[in-house]
Amino acid sequence: MTEVAAPRPAAPPERDGEARAGSPPAVDDVRADAAAPDALEEGRAAAAQEVLVLDYGGQYSQLIARRVRECGVFSELLPHDVALEEIERRAPRGLILSGGPASVYADEAPRLRTELLDLDIPVLGICYGMQAMARELGGRVELAEAGEFGRSELHVREPGRLLNGLPAEQSCWMSHRDSVFEPPPGFTALASSPSSPVAALENPDRRLYGIQFHPEVVHTPYGTAILETFLGDICGCEESWTAAQVVEDQIRRVREQVGEGKVICGLSGGVDSSVAALLVHRAVGDQLTCVFVDHGLLRRNEAEQVVASFRDHFHVPLVVADAQDRFLDRLAGVVDPEHKRKVIGEEFIRVFEEEAGRLGDPRYLVQGTLYSDVIESGGSTGASTIKSHHNVGGLPEDLELELVEPLRALFKDEVRAVGAELGLPERMVWRQPFPGPGLAIRIVGGEVNRERLAVLRDADFVLQEEIRAAGLYRELWQSFCVLPAELRTVGVQGDERTYGHVIAIRAVTSDDAMTADWARLPHELLERIAARMVNELPAVNRVVLDITSKPPGTIEWE
Ligand code: XMP
């Protein structure tokens, strides 16, 4: 049996829980389709140098930008057909042409504009990007007899500038059908692989480079070294994109945006809203008030931890709205999952609105929008004031607030790094995603009430404690318990027949919550968890494990 997968790459493009239709109350999840002053523009200005990734539709395009940033160079992903003037205006230090699913010969294949190669900016083509470059400049690109997918062996014949200092034999990750058979005139073929006669090429005079394999995935061991060579030696970039730099820039930016204005932030305890709140507090101090809505659907000690951390430790003005009774009253008799979400969402808005009113209706709302959200929503970076009904879920239509989005330029791993830089406790920096409707969508097939919440909360506490003790918390995307509300099963404990609750354990690995695999938790750990649950929780007499992946299941049961 395999154990839990190796730690996932440091930076999956996830967020703290995806909203489902209906009612996501987590302010972390509120989305905007327009932005406050341009954080990305600021990132660029502060970093003073950037490398643009042009997206030809490859599945790893976002990852390329992330890897470039990990090398300390600010990077943004732009559509492959972005206006030439825009590129010239930005004056990037380098361009990277991503991979893409098309064959360079397909009618609908995105064309590489040769003007891009004449800007006197170094260009690195990756996979499709290299093929398109080779083809446009007169090389020979053809469909190889066999495609090359997965791990492959790279043989370096001539390191040139791009592969300088790397071993002659190395493995790399490939994913292509077309191959370059001959480089364009003026180019040197640097390396080959079994199905790629030309797996790397360069023309240093024109500052054009290409590799057939993917340097951005972990299965290419020298991928980062190649990117570093391109960024440092070839583009002349220095490492200037760091968490400390981001903090400094964002503090300045937030100050400029809000001036003396009052700011409100819905705190959920998740990493995005926590980091956003801390940044804004550093910038404008007590002009910010955080609102934490305790809807009674949280895990054990969660509300206390948020209060201890924000109010007591960071001294951030914090209003805790104790709305447990209100939420439970409204949830009485509600069984349907989407109905539940709707009820919770509506009540959340009401509570938030009341608190905002009490605070004198602040003008600004902090929101933890991430760069992945910006990319997904089409990457609008312009400045504007939005009406909150443009947001997806969450806030009422007549609440006019200007958004403050200090994380808008950041990937999730950068948010965690900024959180650590700001002194956020490790526990909060690495918190697993938790859905806005909380434990309510983990009590299934019956209404949510106090007794059921108590059982689920106790079971969840045991699970979290054991998962953490086993050192597996960070490796799992999520781990939680589910309580089938109406289900009872027979057991025998101490010679007595019992008729008790069933607890289901759900633990998954995932990169982005779009797909997930059930985690192969060690048997001994599962045994310990089950034993503790039935021994310590009188209402529980059976524990089961969910071994469904997504698809076909979803991560949550509702
Ligand atoms: P599913 O269950 O669809 O979940 O595989 C994907 C991710 O989204 C989270 N999730 C939610 N987050 N409000 C949220 O804020 C919701 O209504 C909601 N439903 C699911 C889930 O925990 C997982 O991370």
Side-chain angles (χ1 to χ4, degrees):
M1 197 198 76
T2 48
E3 298 211 339
V4 162
R8 52 192 158 82
E14 80 273 28
R15 57 186 204 236
D16 250 25
E18 268 169 49
R20 279 200 183 151
S23 68
V27 174
D28 272 17
D29 293 315
V30 175
R31 295 279 169 270
D33 55 9
D38 192 344
L40 291 165
E41 194 72 54
E42 286 286 333
R44 245 180 333 266
Q49 50 184 17
E50 70 169 333
V51 166
L52 293 176
V53 179
L54 300 188
D55 185 5
Y56 287 84
Q59 57 174 325
Y60 304 123
S61 303
Q62 242 193 75
L63 194 54
I64 301 173
R66 263 169 53 193
R67 294 285 180 251
V68 171
R69 290 195 191 181
E70 279 167 26
C71 295
V73 176
F74 186 70
S75 178
E76 253 194 77
L77 184 66
L78 295 181
H80 68 87
D81 55 359
V82 61
L84 228 50
E85 302 77 58
E86 174 64 3
I87 296 179
E88 282 174 324
R89 185 185 71 77
R90 293 181 179 214
R93 292 284 178 97
L95 292 178
I96 297 182
L97 316 177
S98 83
S103 158
V104 281
Y105 292 108
D107 288 342
E108 71 285 5
R111 251 208 73 216
L112 166 65
R113 293 164 292 167
T114 43
E115 300 92 307
L116 285 173
L117 309 177
D118 292 324
L119 295 173
D120 199 28
I121 299 170
V123 179
L124 173 66
I126 295 176
C127 193
Y128 181 85
M130 168 176 114
Q131 295 163 3
M133 183 195 291
R135 180 167 182 234
E136 291 299 332
L137 298 179
R140 185 158 68 89
V141 185
E142 285 174 14
L143 191 66
E145 263 174 33
E148 212 174 10
F149 299 96
R151 207 180 297 277
S152 187
E153 289 309 312
L154 189 73
H155 172 64
V156 180
R157 270 178 292 183
E158 153 83 58
R161 207 157 164 202
L162 187 64
L163 306 182
N164 188 24
L166 301 184
E169 306 294 333
Q170 50 184 284
S171 59
C172 64
W173 190 260
M174 296 274 198
S175 181
H176 67 113
R177 271 191 200 287
D178 286 343
S179 286
V180 179
F181 283 77
E182 262 173 48
F187 277 72
T188 309
L190 304 178
S192 61
S193 76
S195 299
S196 304
V198 181
L201 48 75
E202 68 178 26
N203 181 338
D205 294 340
R206 288 189 67 182
R207 306 210 279 173
L208 302 179
Y209 300 81
I211 44 182
Q212 178 58 69
F213 50 92
H214 290 272
E216 67 277 16
V217 305
V218 288
H219 313 288
T220 300
Y222 291 96
T224 303
I226 296 169
L227 286 177
E228 279 170 354
T229 301
F230 179 69
L231 298 169
D233 297 352
I234 295 169
C235 299
C237 297
E238 280 154 24
E239 279 186 38
S240 58
W241 180 247
T242 61
Q245 187 65 50
V246 172
V247 170
E248 202 179 295
D249 300 337
Q250 291 306 318
I251 286 176
R252 187 175 35 79
R253 187 181 87 82
V254 172
R255 280 187 188 142
E256 280 166 16
Q257 184 187 354
V258 310
E260 304 285 311
K262 275 198 208 166
V263 190
I264 189 169
C265 174
L267 207 56
S268 71
V271 60
D272 301 345
S273 69
S274 298
V275 173
L278 277 186
L279 262 174
V280 173
H281 186 250
R282 279 274 178 98
V284 297
D286 294 357
Q287 283 167 250
L288 168 74
T289 305
C290 289
V291 174
F292 177 70
V293 177
D294 185 353
H295 52 22
L297 308 168
L298 300 167
R299 288 165 294 190
R300 196 197 287 178
N301 297 338
E302 209 158 27
E304 292 80 356
Q305 276 166 12
V306 170
V307 173
S309 181
F310 279 81
R311 187 184 283 161
D312 306 340
H313 179 71
F314 290 114
H315 305 295
V316 176
L318 174 66
V319 174
V320 179
D322 180 354
Q324 306 194 28
D325 292 341
R326 289 172 62 160
F327 276 87
L328 278 182
D329 286 351
R330 292 225 34 214
L331 282 169
V334 178
V335 178
D336 175 73
E338 292 313 310
H339 187 192
K340 245 183 231 177
R341 283 190 171 81
K342 190 158 182 287
V343 163
I344 295 168
E346 281 170 6
E347 201 57 29
F348 183 86
I349 289 168
R350 238 169 255 166
V351 176
F352 195 84
E353 220 172 12
E354 285 168 19
E355 296 303 336
R358 266 187 216 119
L359 294 169
D361 288 318
R363 173 155 167 223
Y364 299 94
L365 173 73
V366 179
Q367 186 170 272
T369 314
L370 303 191
Y371 185 46
S372 350
D373 305 323
V374 175
I375 294 176
E376 269 165 37
S377 67
S380 139
T381 58
S384 64
T385 303
I386 65 151
K387 273 193 161 195
S388 52
H389 71 264
H390 289 145
N391 293 337
V392 180
L395 291 170
E397 296 199 1
D398 53 357
L399 191 66
E400 261 192 65
L401 291 160
E402 191 178 313
L403 295 181
V404 179
E405 299 179 298
L407 313 180
R408 198 174 162 80
L410 306 185
F411 286 114
K412 187 81 169 198
D413 57 333
E414 294 172 318
V415 172
R416 294 196 208 277
V418 167
E421 176 75 25
L422 291 167
L424 197 68
E426 201 243 331
R427 205 181 173 87
M428 294 179 86
V429 169
W430 287 101
R431 204 182 83 139
Q432 289 175 357
F434 185 67
L439 300 182
I441 56 168
R442 294 174 180 172
I443 293 173
V444 303
E447 73 162 15
V448 175
N449 61 33
R450 280 201 171 72
E451 182 254 333
R452 290 168 180 171
L453 278 168
V455 173
L456 181 58
R457 204 171 268 131
D458 288 348
D460 181 78
F461 185 76
V462 170
L463 179 75
Q464 300 311 332
E465 221 175 42
E466 289 296 334
I467 295 270
R468 282 180 194 275
L472 295 176
Y473 184 81
R474 276 198 203 178
E475 292 179 29
L476 299 173
W477 171 264
Q478 274 172 292
S479 47
F480 56 88
C481 295
V482 177
L483 176 69
E486 302 286 354
L487 184 64
R488 294 279 146 81
T489 70
V490 174
V492 54
Q493 280 170 289
D495 296 332
E496 263 186 50
R497 178 187 185 277
T498 58
Y499 194 49
H501 282 295
V502 179
I503 289 291
I505 295 172
R506 181 75 165 141
V508 296
T509 54
S510 174
D511 274 345
D512 54 9
M514 304 299 284
T515 60
D517 195 11
W518 62 280
R520 274 58 164 178
L521 297 175
H523 282 177
E524 305 70 39
L525 172 65
L526 288 168
E527 186 181 359
R528 214 163 36 243
I529 292 169
R532 276 194 62 189
M533 283 183 189
V534 290
N535 289 339
E536 293 174 25
L537 315 181
V540 173
N541 69 354
R542 188 177 299 270
V543 179
V544 299
L545 177 67
D546 181 351
I547 55 167
T548 321
S549 291
K550 174 183 179 177
T554 50
I555 295 176
E556 304 287 348
W557 278 27
E558 289 198 332

